[in-house]
């Protein structure tokens, strides 16, 4: 069955100007992300992964070209409409952890639900269940500066999931976690993906990458490889790891 496209870019370019020099980071990129996929974006440091994630999630303006979400151009949306779309349909876990320092864990997770129409009791139950899954139930009254990097990262993930996003974007979500905490986070991503939510995740970590069913390899702002794992008949994670590792090695990872 042909997959439905949820995000599409058309000749997308993103450049930065610093010290009078133009740095073209994303170069004429045409890409489609499919609904229900767990898409992984990999590539060396500086290849433009975070920049691409910010561009396709409407967190940052593009330089030229277009981004479509569910067949609608979002590139020229008014800031108010973009904010509404982000709040209702998209969740984002950043590379650096951006918690609000003067709010508790509970309030941080609650913050994206302000002005949504969901009933308060439902939100409270959802926060409790997310906190439990992330082993954070005892910490809900703490402030970010009273927590470890890994704990803060897990709070950021709860916050990204609170509004049940159609697409969860995550930039190196396991970067500051040890392997068992990383596994907990990846299990959550796998579960929400099995429940139908799309995931787009940037990672440097092979263990994280094999959670995806598709791996896009970015090199110098262009797509240099696109591995569709659905096309392989792989049943166990060891074989999956081998296929992914071979793909990445060929790309010079
Ligand atoms: N706000 C910015 N202003 C100027 N240059 C930027 C900005 N953000 C990113 N860049 C530049 O764009 C390039 C790509 O950065 P990006 O953060 O997308 O890389 P990345 O692939 O995510 O790397 P990493 O794996 O290290 O996170 C880098 O050369 C970086 O210096
Ligand atoms: Mg990055």
């Amino acid at each position: 069955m042909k997959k439905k496209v949820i995000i599409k870019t058309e000749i997308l370019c993103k450049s930065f100007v610093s010290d009078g020099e133009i740095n073209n980071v994303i170069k004429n990129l045409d890409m489609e992300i499919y609904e229900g996929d767990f898409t992984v974006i990999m590539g060396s440091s500086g290849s433009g992964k975070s920049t691409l994630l910010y561009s396709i999630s409407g967190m940052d303006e593009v330089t030229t070209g277009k981004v479509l979400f569910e067949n609608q151009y979002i590139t020229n949306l008014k800031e108010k409409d973009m904010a509404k779309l982000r709040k209702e349909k998209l969740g984002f876990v950043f590379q650096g952890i951006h918690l609000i320092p003067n709010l508790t864990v509970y309030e941080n997770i609650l913050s994206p639900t302000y002005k949504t129409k969901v009933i308060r009791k439902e939100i409270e139950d959802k926060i409790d269940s997310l906190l439990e899954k992330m082993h954070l139930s005892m910490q809900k009254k703490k402030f970010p500066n009273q927590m470890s990097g890994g704990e803060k990262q897990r709070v950021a993930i709860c916050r990204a999931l609170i509004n049940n996003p159609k697409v969860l974007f995550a930039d190196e979500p396991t970067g500051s976690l040890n392997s068992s905490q990383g596994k907990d986070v990846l299990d959550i991503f796998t579960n929400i993906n099995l429940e139908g939510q799309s995931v787009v995740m940037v990672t440097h970590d092979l263990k994280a990458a094999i959670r995806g069913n598709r791996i896009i390899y970015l090199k110098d702002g262009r797509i240099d490889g696109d591995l569709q794992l659905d096309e392989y008949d792989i049943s166990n994670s060891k074989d999956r790891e081998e296929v992914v590792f071979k793909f990445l090695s060929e790309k010079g990872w």
Side-chain angles (χ1 to χ4, degrees):
M1 201 177 65
K2 201 166 179 310
K3 288 185 182 175
K4 199 169 143 196
V5 174
I6 188 157
I7 296 166
K8 183 174 157 80
T9 68
E10 292 177 352
I11 0 176
L12 180 70
C13 296
K14 176 74 185 174
S15 312
F16 295 104
V17 179
S18 44
D19 297 334
E21 299 240 335
I22 299 176
N23 181 7
N24 298 312
V25 177
I26 302 296
K27 296 166 183 154
N28 298 322
L29 193 88
D30 287 316
M31 178 179 76
E32 290 182 335
I33 302 279
Y34 304 110
E35 188 167 69
D37 264 11
F38 191 143
T39 307
V40 173
I41 300 175
M42 297 188 84
S44 57
S45 179
S47 56
K49 305 179 297 296
S50 297
T51 305
L52 177 62
L53 211 61
Y54 273 67
S55 300
I56 62 175
S57 59
M59 300 290 295
D60 199 1
E61 283 178 5
V62 308
T63 306
T64 57
K66 295 200 163 117
V67 178
L68 292 92
F69 179 76
E70 294 182 322
N71 292 321
Q72 304 256 336
Y73 286 108
I74 62 166
T75 330
N76 297 322
L77 278 185
K78 290 192 198 109
E79 182 48 38
K80 189 170 140 263
D81 297 327
M82 192 63 235
K84 186 171 184 298
L85 173 74
R86 276 201 302 261
K87 191 174 243 188
E88 290 177 358
K89 301 206 167 169
L90 313 175
F92 208 111
V93 181
F94 301 89
Q95 190 166 15
I97 305 153
H98 296 210
L99 296 178
I100 305 165
N102 56 342
L103 296 186
T104 63
V105 163
Y106 189 84
E107 291 160 347
N108 260 285
I109 302 172
L110 187 67
S111 62
T113 69
Y114 298 149
K115 293 193 188 159
T116 58
K117 294 196 182 88
V118 189
I119 302 158
R120 179 92 185 185
K121 172 82 177 78
E122 276 178 25
I123 293 174
E124 285 171 3
D125 289 349
K126 177 107 199 268
I127 296 181
D128 285 338
S129 116
L130 284 168
L131 286 170
E132 200 182 315
K133 274 192 206 163
M134 291 288 187
H135 313 298
L136 288 167
S137 298
M138 305 300 286
Q139 322 233 35
K140 67 190 207 184
K141 292 191 178 141
K142 277 195 181 172
F143 288 90
N145 68 359
Q146 300 169 318
M147 309 182 82
S148 74
E151 287 165 345
K152 282 190 275 195
Q153 182 64 295
R154 283 179 282 147
V155 176
I157 291 164
C158 294
R159 186 179 55 183
L161 293 175
I162 190 65
N163 285 336
N164 261 327
K166 281 202 106 168
V167 185
L168 176 70
F169 297 94
D171 196 354
E172 294 188 43
T174 58
S176 56
L177 307 182
N178 68 28
S179 67
S180 120
Q181 292 169 337
K183 185 180 173 303
D184 288 346
V185 165
L186 293 169
D187 285 346
I188 295 212
F189 284 16
T190 298
N191 283 335
I192 67 159
N193 181 242
L194 287 173
E195 286 163 11
Q197 281 165 280
S198 310
V199 179
V200 183
M201 176 179 76
V202 169
T203 187
H204 283 285
D205 175 9
L206 186 63
K207 283 267 179 291
I210 60 168
R211 298 299 184 110
N213 61 303
R214 178 183 181 200
I215 297 168
I216 292 174
Y217 196 85
L218 215 60
K219 187 175 178 188
D220 203 15
R222 294 188 174 91
I223 294 178
D224 186 44
D226 189 345
L227 177 71
Q228 309 261 0
L229 281 162
D230 306 333
E231 290 168 5
Y232 292 76
D233 183 23
I234 324 172
S235 52
N236 67 65
S237 65
K238 188 143 185 5
D239 293 347
R240 207 174 170 86
E241 200 168 307
E242 224 163 80
V243 172
V244 174
F245 185 72
K246 185 165 174 284
F247 165 78
L248 292 173
S249 304
E250 283 167 9
K251 293 291 150 206
W253 183 67

